[in-house]
């Protein structure tokens, strides 16, 4: 009968139930059941897609079924391309051929079996091969679909693999497993050679082809796919599991000195910051509204990744027990000599190979996922902090107060409404609903009494994106602690119970008993970490502030005093760092001793109480499990600290996001965002105020000065600024002129006075803003002017001309392509002001807000700006709000004027300037006297520009291995005063620890061997228990000694390295400071110092420990098994070679990674300094885009760094597994005579030796990579320094006795290769003279002051009180010269600390200086400046004028014989200036020489002599009277052109 006749039931066939009863219970039918299941899945999948297509509404373009159309328009070339390329398509075809071949062979086998069968029932009963045949038929069908279909190919491929793997599993069970036994044979051996052909083809189709087949690239955004792919995106699974796709990078790194950033693989599209933050913000923004902790938002964002991560951890936990099983069974085989064994020993040996390999692969895959999450998390964190920083209130940053009260009107929209508001045509706030709510809000705002101390916001933000970000990234692996550790411990207990019985639970009690102690230590660690981070915040804040004002510190000779302040902050931080290290050691001791104590109790109970024998298989298999237990409990100790650090940092991030005061538009009320209410339609296109009050903060803040804290801008009437003209805002210093602009921009807190209150700034036509403190980016002059606007040559040239920039650009070799440097270092104050003005004028904005831009310009430049710019065609049809003191110059242009009084109220408003001024007598008096004012000329001669216009020097990247000089920096710090004693103690303790550690398994093995030769009653249990206990105690004791002493000395090394870095930076030259962005200095003082405080010392300790451990174990293994010596050495050398390949790549990547963070911080810093300008221009989006670019730059480097770690780990793990399994095979199949105990001991040491080799290579590489921080710090220690003070250069104690000054042939330049900026200047100034210095921009006025202070390179001789200044120590010279710089800079602290940082004067002297300076004249009712008034970092809570006055008071306190005023009264009103000038004339001693850089001609016209500079040379130097007599004199021309000739001449005659 033919087979086809049996495949169908005939009418006479028995009932179906009878047929089913005849089915054989054969394993070969399993694939058929899987086919049925997968077919059901495929049917459901098809139905789902059909329903979705059926109920969708296709457009005419795609109304045809995609699947049918794809077959109708099928083109072979296009199909291959869409499939992923020829390689993928070819492998799919090979899989189809292999599956079809298997089907053919199975059919042949089935036909052969069916021969001679009587009917279908007999075939079903006797030939189960039909199950495999049907399964392979289905597999062939799915392979065909995979090869030809694009839509169904992915599902078909997965089903194909499932079926083939199931079939391969059947053959493995029936035919491969029996080969591993002594008692079974392959079930299908009768098939002959065809059986092995089937298995081979199955292995190729089911395993090798899927593993080695490249993956098809699927873009995140199909409309914008990547043009250059990362190999990871198309790598096969085997390549991904083994990280072989990195091989090209490893190979390239071994051939080049340094692997540059451009040579790294491109960033994967789903790693990009824009994509990741876009997804993350879907969870973060709602959590901010609901006040949910940010942790849960991140968990939702990374939920899928954590699910896969958890699965890999579970697989790793299970695989880690395969090796102990292999050890137990191998030793048991040796103990019995193979008697009674049913499994061949090579099976157990193979477990020693496969178990560690599979565990390593799953472990590394989980770490790969963690690295990917870490890179994405860092990108999201950076952008989250950046986004939130764009929302914070400028003056609110110093408050540490948490407030739950509302800070804005209650009506609130959703986040989408906020986004719509940001894009709306106007910006408005009004209270329109409830008068009672308005009153309550005002009361709640003004009645907050318990304000906290100033918080270090800048330090917090820097820490959030550096140290805190690192802490949170390290804490991402919390799942290993909360899931892996309990699961692994549970498996350990189950395994130990199988080996040691209930004695294992006795051992468990020791761990349970130590848990409360571990919890207590963990709580103490968390508390200590919180305190340490606060100290770190304070140190970073101080460093940030000091670095920003470092020039001022050096000019005043305060390096030592500021160094002491930083030293104290560092000591406070190190004190808590030492406490955390002590607690960390305690935690490790608890975790380390718990399994050892458990081991001792378990073995003691097993032998003493249970009266059982400790055999070699029992000892060494349980030791392997105890080692796993030790690893997990060690993980608890070190990872607990990381989790605690991460929790502290994420709590700080959450506090920053939830509690930092933000602008009203982003404030929360009743857990809803603020909704700005509509203004009346009649006012929608106008801007102004009605019935409004504004404050700098929504809560009372002690960090603000009394003036700022209590200041309110009151607008009790309606103000409507006129469109398409110039509007003036005038008033005395400190009245709130800038506040009115800030209120319009939404920077101040709005407190409505009635339901009709509103304020509005139309934004439909754009808004431009020029701040009083000019803000420029670290870019070229042209880029600063364009500021994201398209380049228009004609308009651009007009702007340069009208803003008087053309003459300045001629001074720069690179013209408008000159880099301005960080915060505009290459530009003078006047140049920065004009660049800022040019930016506003060039922009297409219809509304321009200008905050006292004329204050930084001389009389001619101011007149030019007014006549050429404000009267020019570029401002016609545009609305300008101008804050100014120069009413006389700008008043005639104004069509609307607002006058503000000292109380913050509106004194008057109107269209007639005379009427407005007449209503305020004090303002009228000021205007009358201001007519002759010539606002300050360009502040500082520009630093000599580089030939290409580039100032900032690119950050150098070291090449090759870490230098010995850098490593010596750490080693000398660790050794301290007794380096030999330190290393003798450390090495002795670690060697003893290694011997105790290696002696434990030897002692246990010796104990077990006693049972082989002695009766159990003859074995002395007390001796062995006591000996084992001594081993454990010795191990713990030496561990405590080595780590405790090492960490104690590491604190000293941290202190030493930090001190060297600070002293080096403080002693640097001014030119180095010009070329080095502060972000780089901050990166060294934060990121690199943190690495030294934590990682480097720990890594060095581990390297020493692992190297000694490997050496000790190698010697013991070689002694016991001499034949293993050379393989062990070979494994070690191979590991070192692989490690060297890894290191060459990782060093380059890590160096790029270190340098990739500085640009992020620099961008962050620039945005924070120009926060108001950014928001005014609505330029947040462009800065976000730039932030995305810089984050992507960092992420691209970070991802490859993480993957390189996985690459080395997989290979070292494989070497260890190969060595251990090879040693086991030699001991089993090699020369006889090795006992089970010695075999177990050798295998145990082999495992430890491989672990030591792995960790030695891994940690040594990490140490060298982390030592990049040492290298970066060493580079900043080796910078060019100013001359150090010496005893020989100390002048007499009485020096200086006068202010006599003499210069002979003085030349000066900014760099050794730069041009001269002062040319052969000679002058002689007698003590007590008042010297005025004038000159045009770039003439060398400020350069002269820098030369007097030896801040630049000079030639010639300058005598100060008869002594050449180059023979005087710099600190003494500068401490005896006082300069009031053009840009006033203050320190955070009290007003007392700013006036007298050295604490050398009493309060009476300080108060007298305040009175003389005019600061107290600015006080209003109940708003008193006292010596205890808090000053924020940089003086941000004072106006510019107030800062200049404080700087003048500081100069009065110093009582120097030489006083230099570099335009010190440029930002004060006439009243205050009058007080200051009177002080200079009456209270400065007659022997004090005063050099004044001219900013107001009236200030210098009564000077004894006036020096006129031009092009670095003195062109005029005589008394004002004589200079005015010169017909062609420059000073005479300035006086005649001022319009106030009579008044100025009168001052001379006076």
């Amino acid at each position: 009968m033919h087979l086809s006749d049996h495949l169908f039931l005939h009418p006479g066939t028995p009932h179906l139930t009878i047929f089913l009863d005849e089915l054989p219970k054969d394993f070969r039918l399993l694939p058929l059941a899987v086919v049925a299941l997968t077919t059901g899945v495929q049917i459901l999948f098809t139905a789902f897609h059909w329903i979705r297509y059926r109920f969708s509404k296709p457009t005419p373009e795609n109304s045809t079924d995609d699947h049918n159309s794809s077959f109708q328009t099928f083109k072979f070339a296009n199909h291959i391309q869409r499939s992923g390329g020829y390689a993928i398509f070819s492998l799919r075809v090979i899989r189809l051929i292999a599956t079809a071949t298997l089907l053919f062979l199975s059919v042949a086998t089935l036909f052969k079996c069916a021969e001679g069968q009587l009917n279908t029932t007999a075939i079903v009963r006797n030939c189960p091969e039909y199950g495999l045949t049907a399964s392979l038929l289905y597999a062939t069908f799915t392979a065909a679909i995979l090869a030809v279909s694009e839509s169904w190919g992915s599902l078909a491929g997965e089903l194909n693999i499932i079926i083939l793997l199931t079939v391969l599993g059947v053959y493995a069970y029936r035919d491969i497993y029996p080969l591993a036994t002594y008692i079974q044979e392959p079930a299908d051996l009768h098939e002959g050679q065809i059986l092995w052909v089937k298995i081979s083809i199955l292995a190729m189709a089911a395993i090798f082809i899927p593993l080695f087949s490249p993956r098809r690239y699927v873009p995140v955004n199909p409309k914008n796919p990547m043009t250059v792919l990362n190999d990871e995106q198309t790598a096969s699974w085997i390549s991904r599991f083994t990280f072989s796709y990195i091989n090209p990078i490893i190979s390239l790194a071994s051939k080049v000195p340094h692997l540059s950033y451009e040579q790294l693989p491109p960033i994967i599209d789903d790693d990009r910051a824009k994509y990741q933050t876009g997804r993350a913000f879907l969870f973060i923004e709602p959590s901010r509204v609901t006040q949910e902790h940010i942790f849960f938002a991140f968990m939702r964002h990374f939920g899928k990744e954590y699910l896969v991560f958890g699965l890999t951890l579970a697989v790793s936990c299970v695989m880690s027990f395969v090796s102990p099983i292999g050890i137990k069974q191998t030793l048991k085989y040796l103990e019995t000599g193979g008697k009674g064994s049913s499994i061949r020993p090579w099976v157990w040996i193979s477990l020693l190979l496969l178990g560690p390999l599979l565990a390593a692969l799953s472990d590394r895959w989980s770490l790969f996922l963690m690295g990917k999450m870490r890179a994405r998390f860092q990108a999201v964190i950076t952008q989250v902090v950046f986004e939130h920083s764009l929302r914070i209130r400028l003056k609110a940053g110093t408050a540490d107060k948490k407030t739950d009260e509302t800070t804005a009107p209650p009506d609130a929209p959703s986040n989408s409404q906020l986004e719509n508001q940001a894009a709306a045509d106007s910006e408005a706030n009004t209270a329109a609903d409830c008068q009672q709510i308005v009153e309550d809000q005002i009361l709640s705002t003004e009645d907050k009494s318990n304000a906290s101390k100033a918080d270090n916001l800048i330090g917090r933000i820097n820490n959030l994106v550096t140290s805190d970000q690192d802490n949170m990234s390290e804490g991402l692996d919390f799942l290993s602690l909360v899931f892996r550790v309990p699961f692994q411990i549970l498996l350990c207990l189950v395994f130990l119970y199988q080996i040691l019985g209930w004695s294992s639970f006795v051992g468990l009690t020791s761990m349970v008993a130590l848990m409360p102690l571990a919890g207590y230590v963990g709580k103490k660690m968390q508390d200590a970490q919180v305190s340490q981070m606060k100290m770190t915040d304070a140190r970073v804040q101080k460093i940030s502030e000091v670095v920003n004002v470092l020039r001022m510190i050096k000019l005043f000779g305060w390096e030592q005093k500021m160094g002491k302040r930083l030293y104290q902050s560092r000591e406070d931080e190190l004190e808590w760092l030492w406490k955390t290290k002590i607690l960390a050691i305690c935690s490790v001791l608890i975790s380390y001793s718990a399994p050892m104590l458990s081991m001792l109790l378990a073995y003691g109970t097993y032998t003493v109480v249970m009266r059982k024998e400790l055999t070699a298989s029992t000892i060494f298999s349980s030791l392997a499990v105890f080692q796993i237990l030790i690893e997990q409990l060690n993980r608890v100790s070190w990872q607990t600290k990381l989790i605690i650090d991460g929790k502290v940092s994420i709590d700080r991030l959450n506090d920053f996001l939830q509690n930092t005061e933000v602008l009203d538009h982003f404030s929360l009320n009743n857990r809803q965002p603020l909704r700005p209410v509509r203004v009346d339609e009649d006012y929608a296109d106008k801007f102004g105020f009605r019935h409004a009050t504004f404050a700098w903060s929504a809560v009372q803040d002690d960090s603000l000065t009394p003036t700022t804290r209590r200041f309110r801008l009151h607008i009790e009437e309606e103000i409507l600024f006129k469109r398409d003209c110039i509007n003036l805002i005038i008033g005395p210093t400190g009245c709130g002129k800038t506040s009115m602009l800030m209120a319009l921009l939404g920077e101040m807190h709005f407190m409505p006075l009635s339901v009709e209150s509103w304020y509005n700034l139309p934004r439909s036509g754009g808004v431009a803003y020029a701040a009083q403190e000019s803000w420029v980016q670290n870019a070229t002059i042209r880029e600063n002017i364009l500021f994201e606007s398209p380049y228009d040559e004609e308009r651009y040239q007009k702007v340069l001309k009208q803003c008087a920039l053309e003459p300045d650009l001629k001074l720069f070799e690179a013209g408008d392509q000159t880099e301005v440097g960080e915060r505009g270092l290459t530009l003078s104050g006047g140049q920065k002001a004009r660049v800022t003005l040019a930016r506003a004028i060039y922009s297409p904005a219809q509304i321009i807000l200008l905050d006292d831009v004329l204050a930084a310009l001389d009389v001619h430049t101011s007149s030019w700006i007014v006549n050429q710019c404000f009267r020019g065609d570029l401002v016609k049809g545009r609305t300008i709000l101008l804050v100014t003191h120069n009413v006389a110059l700008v008043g005639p242009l104004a069509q609307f004027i607002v006058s503000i009084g000292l109380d913050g109220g509106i004194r008057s408003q109107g269209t007639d300037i005379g009427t407005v001024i007449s209503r305020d007598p004090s303002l009228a008096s000021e205007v009358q006297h201001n007519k002759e004012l010539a606002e300050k000329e360009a502040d500082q001669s520009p630093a000599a520009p580089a030939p290409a216009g580039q100032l900032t020097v690119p950050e150098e990247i070291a090449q090759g291995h870490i230098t010995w000089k850098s490593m010596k920096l750490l080693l000398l710090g660790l050794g301290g005063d007794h380096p030999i004693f330190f290393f003798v103690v450390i090495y002795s303790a670690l060697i003893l620890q290694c011997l105790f550690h290696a002696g434990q398994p030897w002692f246990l093995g010796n104990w077990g061997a006693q049972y082989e030769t002695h009766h159990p009653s003859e074995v002395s249990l007390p001796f062995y228990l006591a000996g084992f206990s001594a081993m454990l105690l010795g191990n713990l004791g030496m561990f405590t000694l080595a780590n405790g002493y090492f960490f104690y000395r590491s604190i000293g090394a941290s202190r030493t390295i930090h001190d060297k870095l600070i002293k080096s930076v403080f002693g640097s030259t001014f030119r180095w400071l010009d070329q080095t962005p502060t972000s780089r200095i901050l990166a060294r003082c934060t990121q690199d110092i943190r690495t030294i405080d934590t990682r480097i010392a720990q890594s060095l300790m581990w390297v020493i420990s692992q190297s000694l451990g490997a050496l000790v174990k190698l010697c013991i293994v070689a002694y016991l098994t001499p034949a293993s010596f050379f393989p062990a050495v070979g494994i070690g050398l191979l590991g070192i070679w692989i490690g060297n390949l890894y290191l060459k790549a990782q060093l380059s990547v890590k160096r790029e990674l270190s340098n990739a963070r500085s640009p992020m911080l620099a961008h962050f810093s620039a945005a924070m300094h120009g926060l108001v300008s950014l928001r005014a221009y609505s330029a947040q989006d462009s800065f976000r885009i730039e932030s995305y670019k810089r984050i992507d730059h960092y992420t691209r480097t970070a991802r490859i760094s993480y993957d390189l770690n996985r690459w080395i780990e997989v290979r070292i793990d494989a070497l260890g597994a190969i060595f251990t399994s090879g040693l086991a095979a030699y001991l089993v199949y090699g020369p006889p005579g090795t006992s089970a105990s010695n075999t177990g001991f050798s295998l145990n040491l082999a495992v430890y030796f491989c672990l030591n080799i792995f960790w030695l290579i891994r940690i040594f590489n990490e140490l060298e990579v982390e030592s990049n921080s040492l290298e970066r710090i060493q580079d900043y220690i080796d910078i060019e320094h100013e001359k150090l003070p010496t005893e020989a250069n100390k002048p007499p104690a009485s020096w200086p006795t006068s202010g006599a000054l003499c210069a002979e042939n003085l030349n000066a330049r900014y760099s050794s290769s730069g041009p001269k900026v002062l040319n052969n200047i000679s002058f002689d100034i007698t003590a007590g003279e008042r010297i005025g210095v004038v000159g045009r921009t770039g003439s060398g006025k400020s350069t002269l002051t820098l030369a007097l202070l030896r801040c630049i390179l000079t030639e010639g001789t300058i005598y100060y009180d008869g002594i050449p200044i180059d023979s005087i120590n710099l600190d003494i010279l500068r401490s005896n010269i006082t300069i009031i710089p053009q840009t006033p800079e203050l320190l955070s602290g009290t007003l007392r600390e700013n006036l007298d940082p050295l604490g050398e004067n009493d309060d009476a002297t300080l108060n007298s200086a305040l009175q003389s300076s005019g600061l107290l004249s600015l006080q209003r009712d109940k708003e008193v400046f006292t010596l205890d008034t808090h000053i924020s970092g940089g003086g941000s809570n004072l106006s510019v004028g107030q800062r200049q006055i404080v700087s003048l008071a500081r100069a009065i306190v110093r009582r120097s014989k030489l006083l230099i005023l570099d335009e010190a009264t440029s930002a004060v009103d006439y009243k205050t200036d009058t007080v200051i000038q009177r002080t200079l004339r009456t209270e400065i001693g007659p022997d004090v020489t005063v050099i004044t850089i001219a900013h107001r001609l009236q200030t210098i016209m009564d000077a004894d002599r006036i020096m006129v500079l031009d092009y670095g040379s003195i062109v005029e130097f005589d008394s004002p009277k004589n200079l005015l007599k010169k017909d062609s004199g420059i000073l005479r021309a300035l006086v005649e052109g001022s319009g106030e000739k009579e008044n100025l001449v009168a001052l001379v005659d006076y």
Side-chain angles (χ1 to χ4, degrees), residues 33 70 230 254 273 1077 1109 1113 1365 1427 1487:
S70 66
N230 187 314
S254 66
K1113 293 175 179 64
I1365 63 172
L1427 295 177
D1487 59 342

Side-chain angles (χ1 to χ4, degrees), residues 276-298 300-301 380 383-391 413-419 654 656-658 662 665-668 671-674 1184 1188:
Q276 283 297 318
T277 54
R279 290 181 59 240
F281 274 36
L282 297 176
F283 307 107
I284 293 173
E285 280 299 307
S287 70
R288 179 176 175 269
V289 174
T290 60
Q291 296 289 292
E292 181 187 47
H293 199 287
I294 194 69
F295 168 79
F296 299 103
F298 285 124
R300 284 191 289 271
H301 175 58
V380 171
Q383 193 62 25
V384 164
V385 175
F386 180 76
E387 291 281 352
H388 192 69
S389 297
L390 294 178
R391 302 174 174 182
S414 63
N415 291 306
S416 60
Q417 288 174 305
L418 275 178
E419 294 172 1
N654 187 70
F656 174 72
L657 296 178
Q658 304 285 10
V662 296
H665 292 300
F666 305 103
S667 297
L668 301 178
R671 299 188 178 183
Q672 293 293 330
L674 171 72
R1184 287 188 185 98
Y1188 289 147

Side-chain angles (χ1 to χ4, degrees), residues 777-996:
Q777 296 176 268
N778 190 0
T780 64
I781 294 175
R782 174 181 290 190
E783 290 170 340
N784 271 282
I785 294 175
L786 297 182
F787 198 59
E788 305 297 331
S789 297
Y791 179 71
D792 183 331
E793 176 67 23
E794 181 180 358
R795 183 180 180 86
Y796 179 73
Q797 293 300 329
K798 282 185 178 181
V799 168
L800 293 181
K801 180 179 179 180
Q802 294 183 15
C803 294
L805 284 170
E806 289 180 334
D808 298 277
L809 296 182
K810 294 178 182 178
L811 299 174
F812 296 100
E813 194 169 334
D816 64 355
Q817 295 300 317
T818 301
E819 279 189 7
V820 302
E822 190 174 39
R823 303 178 70 177
L825 289 174
T826 60
L827 302 180
S828 68
Q831 290 167 336
K832 284 192 288 186
R834 280 175 281 142
V835 169
T836 306
L837 174 63
R839 177 196 301 149
I841 299 300
Y842 184 85
S843 74
Q846 293 300 307
I847 297 177
I848 302 175
L849 310 181
L850 305 177
D851 191 358
D852 211 5
V853 293
L854 300 179
L857 309 178
D858 59 51
V859 61
H860 293 301
T861 308
S862 297
S863 298
W864 177 277
I865 295 295
V866 171
N867 294 322
Q868 299 293 325
C869 182
F870 292 165
R871 296 178 187 270
D873 59 328
L874 292 179
V875 300
K876 286 185 178 179
R878 304 170 78 177
T879 304
I880 297 179
L881 264 67
L882 175 62
V883 170
T884 185
H885 286 285
N886 205 331
V887 181
L889 187 60
V890 188
L893 298 179
Q895 298 186 27
F896 185 77
I897 303 98
V898 175
S899 173
I900 305 176
L902 278 173
D903 60 353
I906 306 301
R907 287 292 181 89
S908 58
Q909 59 172 308
T911 58
D912 181 62
I913 185 70
T915 303
V916 173
I917 293 176
S918 64
R919 296 176 184 174
D920 189 343
S922 62
L923 179 62
S925 175
E926 179 178 333
V927 171
Q928 180 65 26
H929 289 89
N930 265 329
K931 289 182 179 180
E932 77 276 5
L933 300 184
E935 292 292 347
K936 76 176 177 180
E937 198 174 342
D939 298 47
Q940 177 183 347
S941 297
Q950 182 177 0
L951 175 73
T952 303
V953 178
E955 192 164 12
E956 295 183 358
I957 300 177
Q959 299 182 5
H961 291 279
I962 197 75
T963 62
W964 166 246
K965 186 176 183 180
S966 300
M967 184 56 65
K968 188 168 67 173
L969 181 67
L970 174 64
L971 297 178
L972 291 179
L974 289 171
D977 297 332
H978 308 285
I980 297 178
F981 175 78
F982 167 77
F983 286 105
V984 167
V985 171
I986 293 299
Y987 273 88
S988 299
L990 288 178
I991 290 174
L992 289 175
Q993 184 195 357
C994 292
L995 291 175
F996 280 124

Side-chain angles (χ1 to χ4, degrees), residues 960-962 1142-1151 1264-1265:
H961 291 279
I962 197 75
Y1142 156 80
L1143 185 59
K1144 295 183 82 171
Q1146 186 66 287
L1147 270 178
S1148 298
V1149 173
K1150 278 289 188 179
R1151 283 166 175 158
E1264 190 155 5
V1265 167

